[in-house]
Amino acid sequence: MTVLIKEHAKPSIQEILESGKFLVTGEIGPPKGTDIDEMIEHIELLKDKVHAMNITDNQSSVMRYPSLGTAILIKELGGEPNLQVTCRDRNRLAIEADLLFAYTRGIRSVLCLTGDSIPAGDHKEAKAVFDLESVQLLQLICNMEEGRDSGGNELKGGVKFFKGAIVTPEAVPIEPQMLKFEKKIEAGAQWFQTQAVYDMDNFKRFMEKARKISDKVYICCGLVLLTSPGQIKYMNANVPGVFVPENLAREMEDAPKEERLNYGIRIMARQIRQLIDEKLCDGVHIMAIGKESVVPQILEEAGVDITKM
Amino acid sequence: MIITTSKPFEEVLKALEGEDKVFIVGCGLCATTCETGGEEQVAEMKAKLEAEGKTVTGTVVYEEVCHELNTKRKFRENKEAVEAADGFLVMCCGAGTQSVREATEKPVHPACNTVFLGNIQRHGHFVEKCSLCGECVLEDFGAICPVTRCHKGILNGPCGGTDEGKCETSKEKDCGWTLIYNQLEKMGKLDRFRRIYGPKNWQANMKPGRVIFEKKGEGGE
Ligand code: SF4
Ligand code: SF4
């Protein structure tokens, strides 16, 4: 079968994880509009510093340049994309068609998400789709891999993806989350990226539980760059499943104003080091949220060089 | 119970532009409970329209405006006032309003927004617990509906946005999945939570819905 993109510039996420290396991923948030120059700059900056880049799919229900288009762009620029697919804006027909296209363009890794609610975003009157949800999306991809669409019809050429999912280690209560984590694995998830983690002790407890459920799936810890005490206050109050512990909040508060970003960089570098040194998990996912340009600095400070791993 | 809210009076007035003689229909069931189309609200509407210079040729409040034959009969009973009207203002749900549509050739105007099939928790407190999906799955979820009470209609457990029992969309709303989890746990039925539910059949009730009784005795015997 002819797949349009045969040559991969980079090893896949699956290859990295299966070789036992610590996976380092970053994130690209596409712009609102067709001016993609800055995004291209970020991709160029990150493509050799991280193993792969997530591309958010209308993140927080805010309409943006598409994740699929950006994934292909990353491919064209010689990077490795991790395509995020949510179920909020597309029904099963649209998702399946997108996946067929993605496969023919060399996308090898898909992160399956349900998606944020519509009122969270900037198209507040839009119709929410949610024809499927994350667990069903994972199953759907498994079916497509076996050559069938979700209507049970045979595909002329199937797909093959490294199927990822997310889990929220800081959710309260945690028990239903863990059960859902288990279901995602059963539905076909091969690897996980976590929602933002700040509290490393809590993350350790989560990993103990997760490893008991499965020692086969790969788990990468999601970290968000802290930039100011205001951001921390906002996140603690408004972002579900996020809790920035006292000591980190204080560290940011004590930082001189012009040094805040550097403090944030240092905190994240320290956390990455801890993940690696204590062998807490299989990788890290860095969410710099608009500050992608400092990711190389974070990695340098953490002493992480993917070319030497 | 069909939950309705009243449209702003200005919107109603605008819809009635050019129609000086109006007949008002209210409903003795849901719209009475919702205080959007009971005797009291119909009388109030009559007074307000008259203050705006309209003539109200008649009013009628009866049970089940959504019953089409009933509505036609009520219209016959009020023949004179009905015939004198330029148009009809219907103070109940969208189903009732379209019932009136079947009973007259004249303009018909809704006075309410129809919002959901609701439970009455106490006077004036209505919540949505069933969204009429056509293929009820309550059996598997401890009689708490994931299709409706989870904002995203997830069948396989909570999303990452759930927060201490509340939904990511509003601190005022319970996370349906926390309710389901607690219920199944109480019942010792968490195995149902573990089960993977495939995509739902969203065409179980193909719109517009239609249910017709089969005639008894048909097909032999
Ligand atoms: S599953 Fe929910 S929406 Fe569907 S019929 Fe049952 S209660 Fe109503
Ligand atoms: S928070 Fe709970 S109710 Fe709200 S969308 Fe998520 S799972 Fe559904």
Side-chain angles (χ1 to χ4, degrees):
Chain A
M1 186 180 44
T2 328
V3 168
L4 292 181
I5 293 182
K6 272 194 199 143
E7 302 296 321
H8 297 291
K10 292 263 179 327
S12 69
I13 291 173
Q14 186 167 15
E15 284 159 1
I16 301 284
L17 287 171
E18 286 178 354
S19 71
K21 284 187 190 149
F22 187 81
L23 181 79
V24 179
T25 54
E27 190 162 287
I28 295 293
K32 192 176 202 53
T34 53
D35 182 352
I36 57 176
D37 291 351
E38 197 187 345
M39 177 169 72
I40 290 175
E41 256 169 53
H42 287 157
I43 295 170
E44 292 283 9
L45 191 70
L46 290 188
K47 70 177 191 201
D48 299 317
K49 301 281 182 202
V50 297
H51 291 116
M53 285 167 260
N54 277 35
I55 315 99
T56 51
D57 178 9
N58 289 337
Q59 190 174 29
S60 306
S61 308
V62 172
M63 191 286 296
R64 292 167 185 282
Y65 193 81
S67 56
L68 183 51
T70 306
I72 289 164
L73 184 64
I74 290 175
K75 219 61 223 185
E76 287 167 353
L77 294 171
E80 180 63 15
N82 178 31
L83 177 69
Q84 295 194 187
V85 176
T86 73
C87 302
R88 179 194 53 238
D89 310 325
R90 288 179 293 269
N91 70 4
R92 56 192 99 167
L93 281 83
I95 289 175
E96 286 169 41
D98 276 1
L99 290 172
L100 294 179
F101 179 55
Y103 179 69
T104 63
R105 300 306 302 267
I107 310 293
R108 295 178 282 181
S109 177
V110 172
L111 192 74
C112 301
L113 304 126
T114 296
D116 293 318
S117 66
I118 286 281
D122 69 348
H123 283 48
K124 294 191 188 301
E125 298 189 359
K127 185 167 187 176
V129 178
F130 299 118
D131 180 23
L132 306 172
E133 18 110 332
S134 53
V135 172
Q136 295 165 350
L137 176 56
L138 286 160
Q139 267 193 328
L140 174 143
I141 298 178
C142 291
N143 288 335
M144 290 178 78
E145 289 179 336
E146 282 165 21
R148 280 190 315 277
D149 68 13
S150 69
N153 311 295
E154 210 175 301
L155 296 172
K156 194 173 166 204
V159 300
K160 186 90 196 136
F161 293 112
F162 191 48
K163 298 173 288 298
I166 59 159
V167 60
T168 309
E170 301 196 354
V172 182
I174 189 71
E175 294 80 11
Q177 281 294 322
M178 296 315 290
L179 274 178
K180 190 157 183 189
F181 170 73
E182 202 175 332
K183 285 175 84 163
K184 286 182 176 179
I185 297 170
E186 207 187 319
Q190 295 160 287
W191 73 296
F192 285 82
Q193 287 179 320
T194 74
Q195 296 276 53
V197 165
Y198 298 96
D199 187 336
M200 284 293 149
D201 293 329
N202 186 57
F203 182 64
K204 282 186 207 170
R205 288 192 292 276
F206 160 78
M207 283 305 295
E208 273 166 35
K209 288 193 195 104
R211 289 293 187 224
K212 259 184 223 149
I213 291 169
S214 167
D215 52 11
K216 284 197 192 68
V217 291
Y218 301 99
I219 300 172
C220 302
C221 179
L223 297 176
V224 166
L225 180 65
L226 297 175
T227 54
S228 71
Q231 173 214 24
I232 295 175
K233 253 186 224 131
Y234 176 84
M235 289 195 302
N236 278 346
N238 297 298
V239 184
V242 161
F243 177 71
V244 182
E246 265 298 313
N247 59 325
L248 290 188
R250 210 164 324 117
E251 208 173 323
M252 286 302 285
E253 246 161 67
D254 292 346
K257 209 168 174 194
E258 60 294 343
E259 277 295 302
R260 279 174 184 161
L261 184 58
N262 285 332
Y263 272 59
I265 291 169
R266 233 167 286 152
I267 290 171
M268 193 188 274
R270 198 169 68 210
Q271 288 172 329
I272 295 174
R273 215 44 260 173
Q274 189 182 359
L275 294 175
I276 297 174
D277 292 343
E278 297 182 25
K279 295 193 168 41
L280 294 181
C281 57
D282 304 301
V284 66
H285 176 57
I286 301 171
M287 294 174 267
I289 312 186
K291 296 258 182 319
E292 282 72 19
S293 56
V294 306
V295 171
Q297 202 183 327
I298 297 171
L299 291 171
E300 202 182 308
E301 199 126 345
V304 173
D305 181 349
I306 61 163
T307 60
K308 300 205 178 92
M309 280 166 93
Chain B
M1 169 83 42
I2 304 298
I3 310 305
T4 47
T5 56
S6 301
K7 282 184 180 288
F9 181 65
E10 301 71 49
E11 189 182 332
V12 171
L13 205 57
K14 187 151 192 297
L16 289 170
E17 237 168 43
E19 292 161 34
D20 290 334
K21 295 185 207 116
V22 183
F23 186 90
I24 305 175
V25 181
C27 179
L29 288 177
C30 307
T32 294
T33 310
C34 293
E35 301 185 357
T36 52
E39 293 283 2
E40 215 174 291
Q41 295 78 41
V42 167
E44 230 170 75
M45 178 64 81
K46 178 173 184 282
K48 270 165 124 181
L49 287 178
E50 283 169 349
E52 293 290 332
K54 305 263 182 207
T55 305
V56 175
T57 65
T59 65
V60 60
V61 178
Y62 56 97
E63 291 198 351
E64 294 183 320
V65 179
C66 56
H67 193 310
E68 297 191 354
L69 290 178
N70 223 358
T71 295
K72 283 180 183 156
R73 194 175 62 239
K74 284 288 164 193
F75 272 42
R76 282 197 298 276
E77 283 170 20
N78 291 277
K79 199 162 175 250
E80 224 166 281
V82 161
E83 273 175 7
D86 299 327
F88 296 82
L89 183 64
V90 191
M91 298 176 67
C92 67
C93 69
T97 307
Q98 293 179 69
S99 209
V100 173
R101 168 77 291 156
E102 295 298 319
T104 175
E105 292 295 325
K106 290 180 190 169
V108 175
H109 308 282
C112 299
N113 290 317
T114 308
V115 280
F116 52 86
L117 166 64
N119 288 30
I120 308 166
Q121 294 192 309
R122 58 192 153 95
H123 178 76
H125 284 237
F126 309 107
V127 293
E128 186 178 21
K129 295 194 170 180
C130 168
S131 46
L132 314 167
C133 76
E135 204 170 69
C136 192
V137 297
L138 282 176
E139 181 59 34
D140 286 333
F141 300 96
I144 296 172
C145 174
V147 180
T148 310
R149 300 179 73 183
C150 165
H151 174 79
K152 300 172 190 168
I154 303 174
L155 296 183
N156 286 295
C159 73
T162 172
D163 199 21
E164 297 186 40
K166 295 296 168 194
C167 177
E168 71 171 36
T169 58
S170 160
K171 287 189 168 64
E172 306 284 303
K173 291 184 181 176
D174 290 331
C175 165
W177 265 104
T178 305
L179 299 176
I180 294 171
Y181 178 85
N182 291 342
Q183 182 63 35
L184 292 178
E185 192 185 32
K186 227 183 329 185
M187 292 160 62
K189 292 257 157 72
L190 277 180
D191 53 309
R192 294 192 184 169
F193 192 126
R194 287 173 201 276
R195 220 181 279 166
I196 292 179
Y197 295 89
K200 196 158 167 40
N201 174 12
W202 298 113
Q203 299 298 335
N205 166 37
M206 212 207 301
K207 272 186 188 171
R210 191 175 131 96
V211 172
I212 312 279
F213 283 170
E214 285 190 24
K215 275 194 198 123
K216 285 204 184 99
E218 224 169 60
E221 293 182 334

